[in-house]
Amino acid sequence: MFRQVLVGRLSPRMLPLAAALLLQRKERKETGFYHWRREKHPYYNLTVKILRARNIKGTDLLSKADCYVELRLPTASPITYQTRVIDNSSDPEWNETFRYKIHNAVKNTLELTLFDEDVLVSDELTSVVFDVTGMVPGRPLKNTFKLKEDREELDVEFFLEKSSDAPTEVITNGALVAYPCLCLKGVLNKDDMSKLREQASSHLFKISLPGSYEKQLCIPCKPDSDQDCGIPFVFHIGKDMCSELDVELEQTITVLQDGVSPDFEKHTTVLGSGTAPLQSLPLGKDIDMTIPLGKGQSVDLHMKAEQMRKDLDVRLGFDLCKEEREFLDKRKKIVSQALKQTLKLREDPSEDEVPVVAVLGSGGGMRALTSFYGSLFGLQQLNLLDSVIYLSGISGTTWCLSMLYQDSEWSCKELRDTISNVQKKMSSSKVGAFSSERLKYYFQELNAMENAGRKVSFTDLWGLIVEYFLQQKEDQSKLSDQQEAVKQGQNPYPIYAAVNVRPNVSGDDFAEWCEFTPYEVGFRKYGAFVRTEDFDSEFFMGRLIKKHPEPRICFLQGMWGSAFAASLDDVFLKVVGSGFSFLESLGAVVKVIDDCRRFHLRDPMRLKTRLVIPGGPLIQIFQDFFKSRVTAGETFNYMQGLYLHRDYVSLNKFVVWKGTHLDAFPNMLTPMEENLYLVDGGFSINSPFPLVLQPERDVDIILSFNNSWEAPFEVLQLTQKYCKEREIPFPQIVLNKEDEENPKECYMFMDAENPKAPIILHFPLINDTFHKYKAPGIERESEEERSFGDFAIEGKDSPYRTLNFTFESHDFDRLVELSCYNVLNNKDTILKALSLGLNRRKLKNDSRK
């Protein structure tokens, strides 16, 4: 019934643990800050001179390459620069110079991409990713980049010098940097509008500001009185990105086909265009200027640029939010009293001695929802639910949590009644989810979201379907409503999990954990959080630009349990056991080609130079087809406009040491993206371990309830790998063949010599002794009782398949009672873990004195 696995030897006096505590000061120190702080850094002028390339082989077998080089440095300029094209040459020579002004607070990584021009689409030959950190100002640096093994090379000369511009103060948490943000307000002159309205009502102004949040505004010239004072416009942009404002005047003409047919075509003609330089635009002053558009036309602009003075709306820092800290103070009082009673202690442990216990539930659709109810019921029957501080779920378990927390006193009440109500919903028909009335409701909801400017995807439709599956009615509740359930510490603190992925990248290769709580949504990887009420609103450079209403919880439920967002590669990985690995060998190749010893590059925080050789357009099409997630939910990226700190590589939250990992390519990381792609966390690890293993939560004991029947220990093994890559303390997972083939009800894993590694109690979802015992130590006697307990959870004919959303009452009750029994049957193990956790806490406190 119980198997205990220990790493090292556990002394009765716990001496190894005490010794480990004394050695903690020698561990790697992070540079991330619990709270944000202000830093002032200078500017530098960077000159990049593209000299020449040698031995270049193009993609055309009948001629030599027509080469040009693109330069991209998004932290300094929104514009991608390009050299001229050298036709039909294996050894092109350019000698072209490009200049950037860079800020020393951010990680400035230059991308140099060599292309072979083609009539239709230019072919990317190779890319070099070069970190300019560590260059010595005033000393030219000439570098020859080895592009391929067959002697292809690119010569580039760099020169860095300190700028005369005054240093700028930024806000940072050690991972992200927030620049000063400008709000540029302008008005197109009303006289110009009157003239255009007299000519036609089909004129349109396109105003573009590269690097701004709005990018481009399309302003029609409507013949109405609202424009008598001119047409207003607003752009938000970084102080150092403000370059040129582009204005274009277009006219659209509608032409009827055949003179009779109702079909028509629209033809657009550009009547003129011009630019307004903004580099020296004075702050806080009204400016009038006339922009020539050509052909005798011009437009008058009235503009004013002001720096946004308000505080950041994105919380930067790795500490827990104020509300969660306040919750912990209240909850630990309750836990202390519960532990005194449960462990039969003489007095209540002090709040510092209270071990932090987290209960995790894995994914698995309705099976996970049902089983988690049973596990929580078991903890309640043992009077252990009041000892839990955190409850965290993934996929189907989040559905269970979101239903529980609709009642702000749920854990203080008998769960039996709650489970009985849930059973009625789980065993009812789900056909009504696809009735004509319900489909009309879905359309109206999604249409209203789109009209409000929200991003709408299949995930939102799935959320509305889940709403019916769980509630059979419209649910207006929101995640922030659950604040009432934790304000007094009366329930454990809920943490819902999702991961941010890339539409065409495997979740095994890249997935960033995002946590949802009643107070905040955020990525602890970046130390960036927003209020739950502001999730899915539009942010830029840490400021709230456009507020949208908080989404109803059904839309979050659809995202948390969006298993359908799997790519074909994910499906094959789960079903067959391996993905389309052959695509990796044919795809892009990433190589580290850095040799900083030869150059003046001595900063230890500098990323090594990487070479990226694309696999070709045909291979890219195959990869996009097999790896894309066409149904991944999109939401506004609240980190857009924030940049990575120059020293972000020192944080063990990033896997920068892996040559192919996206963490080593700062220009490709999430802050540079416009959207988040949040999906079911099961695409990474099918249990939310990463969310409770953050050092800020300081968790001592984890009760892991696994609801997967394919691989009962996979979540532990994946978590161990995740923790090893990020230097997070985690016990060694040691299993034998018997464990794999015939798992027991409960396993304990701990590291006796590392006090920072939590004690793990892992409960596989199995029917081990339940088929024989109806309660711990009480055998089943009647035929009916034996029949009730004698069932298999897994199998192709199982009612508990992940895609089955309706359980018969009998099957629902069986799974709830099994999960409850497995907890009750391991009471001694849980109490032992609590006792060990209490002792470890005391030793931690003694070591701090």
Side-chain angles (χ1 to χ4, degrees):
M1 287 178 284
F2 162 68
R3 176 176 172 82
Q4 186 176 25
V5 182
L6 297 181
V7 179
R9 229 176 58 190
L10 182 61
S11 165
R13 299 177 60 85
M14 303 184 78
L15 290 176
L17 180 61
L21 286 163
L22 297 175
L23 295 175
Q24 283 182 14
R25 67 186 65 183
K26 295 185 179 181
E27 293 183 1
R28 169 182 172 184
K29 266 184 103 177
E30 290 215 1
T31 60
F33 316 130
Y34 274 151
H35 305 282
W36 61 266
R37 73 182 187 192
R38 299 183 186 275
E39 291 183 351
K40 186 173 284 189
H41 290 262
Y43 289 100
Y44 288 91
N45 294 323
L46 174 67
T47 302
V48 182
K49 189 173 184 180
I50 308 298
L51 301 174
R52 66 190 64 82
R54 286 182 290 276
N55 306 311
I56 303 302
K57 296 179 180 178
T59 56
D60 193 339
L61 300 177
L62 302 179
S63 65
K64 296 181 180 178
D66 305 320
C67 292
Y68 66 93
V69 177
E70 279 189 358
L71 299 88
R72 183 172 176 266
L73 185 54
T75 50
S77 172
I79 301 171
T80 299
Y81 296 108
Q82 178 184 319
T83 66
R84 68 185 186 279
V85 179
I86 305 297
D87 294 325
N88 198 32
S89 174
S90 301
D91 303 297
E93 186 166 345
W94 294 279
N95 292 314
E96 293 187 45
T97 300
F98 302 89
R99 293 178 174 82
Y100 299 94
K101 184 175 77 170
I102 63 175
H103 195 263
N104 200 45
V106 303
K107 177 61 73 177
N108 294 291
T109 306
L110 177 67
E111 299 174 19
L112 304 171
T113 306
L114 182 66
F115 285 91
D116 180 6
E117 187 182 52
D118 201 352
V119 177
L120 297 177
V121 180
S122 296
D123 296 319
E124 180 182 338
L125 300 179
T126 188
S127 292
V128 173
V129 183
F130 179 75
D131 183 2
V132 304
T133 305
M135 287 181 57
V136 180
R139 298 177 67 176
L141 172 64
K142 184 178 179 181
N143 202 342
T144 297
F145 296 107
K146 306 290 184 181
L147 303 183
K148 290 183 181 178
E149 294 180 358
D150 46 0
R151 299 186 301 133
E152 292 190 358
E153 297 175 335
L154 176 66
D155 290 343
V156 184
E157 188 173 83
F158 302 92
F159 185 72
L160 188 71
E161 61 180 349
K162 199 163 185 178
S163 172
S164 59
D165 292 353
T168 293
E169 188 176 72
V170 298
I171 296 173
T172 181
N173 64 352
L176 296 178
V177 172
Y179 271 140
C181 182
L182 299 184
C183 180
L184 178 66
K185 297 181 179 179
V187 177
L188 288 173
N189 186 276
K190 68 175 184 178
D191 295 333
D192 299 297
M193 299 301 102
S194 300
K195 294 175 184 177
L196 291 171
R197 286 198 296 271
E198 291 173 3
Q199 297 171 14
S201 62
S202 56
H203 286 80
L204 178 76
F205 273 105
K206 285 186 177 178
I207 309 177
S208 304
L209 184 57
S212 68
Y213 180 74
E214 293 77 6
K215 295 182 180 61
Q216 185 181 78
L217 300 176
C218 297
I219 305 175
C221 302
K222 298 180 181 179
D224 54 44
S225 59
D226 293 341
Q227 296 179 336
D228 287 346
C229 296
I231 302 178
F233 61 87
V234 177
F235 285 100
H236 296 86
I237 191 167
K239 180 181 177 183
D240 300 318
M241 290 288 180
C242 217
S243 53
E244 290 185 341
L245 187 75
D246 299 320
V247 181
E248 187 177 272
L249 177 61
E250 294 183 353
Q251 182 180 21
T252 302
I253 301 175
T254 302
V255 180
L256 291 175
Q257 295 181 357
D258 302 327
V260 178
S261 171
D263 297 331
F264 59 87
E265 292 182 354
K266 288 186 177 182
H267 297 279
T268 299
T269 304
V270 177
L271 301 179
S273 62
T275 59
L278 301 178
Q279 292 93 334
S280 57
L281 194 67
L283 296 183
K285 292 185 178 180
D286 293 300
I287 300 296
D288 292 304
M289 64 175 65
T290 299
I291 303 178
L293 301 179
K295 301 178 182 179
Q297 298 184 94
S298 64
V299 64
D300 293 334
L301 291 182
H302 176 83
M303 292 188 295
K304 184 178 181 179
E306 293 182 307
Q307 184 169 324
M308 298 181 70
R309 298 294 181 184
K310 70 172 185 174
D311 294 335
L312 295 183
D313 299 301
V314 174
R315 182 175 73 86
L316 295 182
F318 295 92
D319 61 328
L320 304 178
C321 68
K322 176 176 69 71
E323 293 82 2
E324 185 173 343
R325 295 197 305 271
E326 291 173 351
F327 162 83
L328 288 172
D329 292 339
K330 297 172 183 176
R331 183 65 180 175
K332 284 185 177 181
K333 292 183 173 67
I334 297 173
V335 173
S336 176
Q337 295 171 4
L339 289 176
K340 178 187 176 183
Q341 180 181 354
T342 302
L343 299 179
K344 296 179 172 49
L345 305 175
R346 293 182 179 178
E347 58 184 18
D348 295 351
S350 67
E351 292 179 29
D352 289 340
E353 295 174 344
V354 169
V356 178
V357 179
V359 172
L360 311 186
S362 76
M366 293 300 187
R367 179 181 69 249
L369 177 149
T370 305
S371 177
F372 203 56
Y373 269 112
S375 300
L376 295 177
F377 186 40
L379 291 174
Q380 187 181 62
Q381 287 188 284
L382 293 175
N383 295 317
L384 293 175
L385 203 49
D386 280 345
S387 301
V388 177
I389 290 182
Y390 290 110
L391 272 184
S392 187
I394 204 167
S395 191
T397 307
T398 64
W399 299 346
C400 172
L401 291 178
S402 59
M403 294 173 70
L404 280 172
Y405 280 85
Q406 288 183 332
D407 182 349
S408 61
E409 302 290 336
W410 71 266
S411 69
C412 308
K413 300 177 181 178
E414 173 69 45
L415 275 178
R416 192 183 307 275
D417 296 335
T418 302
I419 293 172
S420 177
N421 291 330
V422 172
Q423 185 239 57
K424 295 174 185 176
K425 294 175 182 178
M426 295 302 102
S427 59
S428 64
S429 172
K430 305 300 187 295
V431 175
F434 306 100
S435 66
S436 58
E437 181 182 352
R438 200 69 187 174
L439 293 175
K440 181 181 178 182
Y441 162 70
Y442 299 157
F443 175 79
Q444 290 173 340
E445 288 292 307
L446 298 177
N447 192 48
M449 289 175 61
E450 191 169 33
N451 291 337
R454 304 281 279 270
K455 297 181 181 296
V456 178
S457 69
F458 184 77
T459 303
D460 299 303
L461 174 60
W462 172 239
L464 292 170
I465 296 172
V466 170
E467 176 187 54
Y468 186 87
F469 286 173
L470 300 180
Q471 304 284 357
Q472 275 88 56
K473 63 179 182 179
E474 186 175 339
D475 181 6
Q476 289 295 328
S477 65
K478 302 178 178 64
L479 179 56
S480 62
D481 295 339
Q482 296 180 12
Q483 293 173 10
E484 289 298 321
V486 294
K487 266 188 177 178
Q488 306 305 320
Q490 70 269 39
N491 300 299
Y493 196 76
I495 307 173
Y496 302 87
V499 291
N500 181 50
V501 297
R502 294 299 165 84
N504 58 350
V505 177
S506 168
D508 290 340
D509 296 330
F510 183 80
E512 299 176 324
W513 286 84
C514 181
E515 62 182 56
F516 291 75
T517 75
Y519 291 104
E520 282 192 330
V521 177
F523 292 86
R524 207 157 289 275
K525 171 181 178 177
Y526 296 101
F529 303 86
V530 293
R531 296 189 321 144
T532 300
E533 294 90 336
D534 293 335
F535 176 69
D536 205 25
S537 291
E538 300 179 49
F539 290 78
F540 185 60
M541 302 186 74
R543 283 84 177 178
L544 180 60
I545 302 299
K546 186 176 182 181
K547 178 76 171 77
H548 293 296
E550 180 186 354
R552 294 194 288 125
I553 200 165
C554 66
F555 295 113
L556 301 183
Q557 290 168 335
M559 178 176 55
W560 297 331
S562 54
F564 56 83
S567 64
L568 288 177
D569 188 55
D570 291 327
V571 172
F572 267 71
L573 186 62
K574 296 297 182 184
V575 176
V576 183
S578 63
F580 297 100
S581 56
F582 71 92
L583 291 174
E584 302 297 334
S585 62
L586 299 175
V589 176
V590 179
K591 295 182 178 179
V592 176
I593 59 171
D594 194 70
D595 186 7
C596 62
R597 291 172 297 179
R598 295 175 51 208
F599 307 108
H600 315 302
L601 302 168
R602 312 201 182 278
D603 195 319
M605 295 299 104
R606 179 180 168 273
L607 288 168
K608 293 183 178 180
T609 303
R610 284 168 167 81
L611 176 71
V612 181
I613 304 172
L618 184 60
I619 294 301
Q620 188 61 51
I621 291 173
F622 269 91
Q623 285 190 321
D624 288 345
F625 177 74
F626 287 110
K627 292 181 174 290
S628 64
R629 306 173 190 275
V630 294
T631 57
E634 292 184 43
T635 185
F636 296 106
N637 180 13
Y638 67 86
M639 288 184 284
Q640 185 183 356
L642 300 174
Y643 294 134
L644 287 160
H645 191 274
R646 56 172 287 126
D647 297 336
Y648 87 95
V649 299
S650 67
L651 301 180
N652 59 20
K653 295 173 174 62
F654 294 86
V655 190
V656 294
W657 52 271
K658 279 190 172 183
T660 59
H661 200 281
L662 279 178
D663 283 356
F665 295 83
N667 295 345
M668 298 176 65
L669 285 179
T670 301
M672 304 299 288
E673 297 291 319
E674 293 184 14
N675 302 317
L676 299 174
Y677 296 91
L678 295 170
V679 299
D680 191 323
F683 289 118
S684 179
I685 301 171
N686 196 29
S687 190
F689 276 95
L691 299 186
V692 299
L693 285 171
Q694 300 296 338
E696 295 78 23
R697 293 204 160 104
D698 200 17
V699 172
D700 300 287
I701 303 167
I702 296 176
L703 275 65
S704 163
F705 293 100
N706 183 69
N707 302 300
S708 171
W709 66 47
E710 296 94 348
F713 303 103
E714 182 183 52
V715 296
L716 295 179
Q717 293 158 342
L718 291 175
T719 302
Q720 181 177 260
K721 177 176 178 288
Y722 176 93
C723 291
K724 183 177 180 181
E725 291 176 345
R726 293 161 179 81
E727 300 180 9
I728 299 173
F730 193 76
Q732 188 75 20
I733 305 302
V734 179
L735 299 163
N736 57 38
K737 187 176 180 180
E738 177 66 18
D739 296 324
E740 298 282 0
E741 294 178 353
N742 298 294
K744 304 302 180 184
E745 293 168 355
C746 180
Y747 290 77
M748 178 185 281
F749 301 90
M750 65 178 292
D751 187 337
E753 298 184 2
N754 188 349
K756 290 189 175 183
I759 300 169
I760 309 295
L761 294 186
H762 187 66
F763 293 80
L765 183 58
I766 51 142
N767 187 345
D768 184 21
T769 60
F770 177 72
H771 70 280
K772 186 176 180 181
Y773 295 89
K774 61 181 179 181
I778 303 176
E779 292 191 22
R780 299 183 183 277
E781 297 177 353
S782 68
E783 184 63 31
E784 183 181 355
E785 287 178 345
R786 286 193 290 270
S787 175
F788 182 84
D790 190 13
F791 74 101
I793 303 168
E794 72 281 358
K796 63 178 182 178
D797 297 325
S798 169
Y800 306 115
R801 298 183 306 277
T802 303
L803 295 181
N804 184 19
F805 296 100
T806 303
F807 293 165
E808 296 293 337
S809 300
H810 183 72
D811 294 323
F812 180 90
D813 292 340
R814 270 179 160 182
L815 189 55
V816 168
E817 290 198 29
L818 166 67
S819 301
C820 177
Y821 168 87
N822 284 349
V823 171
L824 298 177
N825 204 36
N826 288 278
K827 173 184 177 181
D828 293 341
T829 305
I830 301 174
L831 294 180
K832 182 174 183 179
L834 288 173
S835 181
L836 287 171
L838 189 63
N839 290 332
R840 288 159 73 99
R841 270 284 168 181
K842 289 179 180 178
L843 281 174
K844 283 184 182 180
N845 293 336
D846 291 341
S847 69
R848 296 187 183 117
K849 295 178 181 178

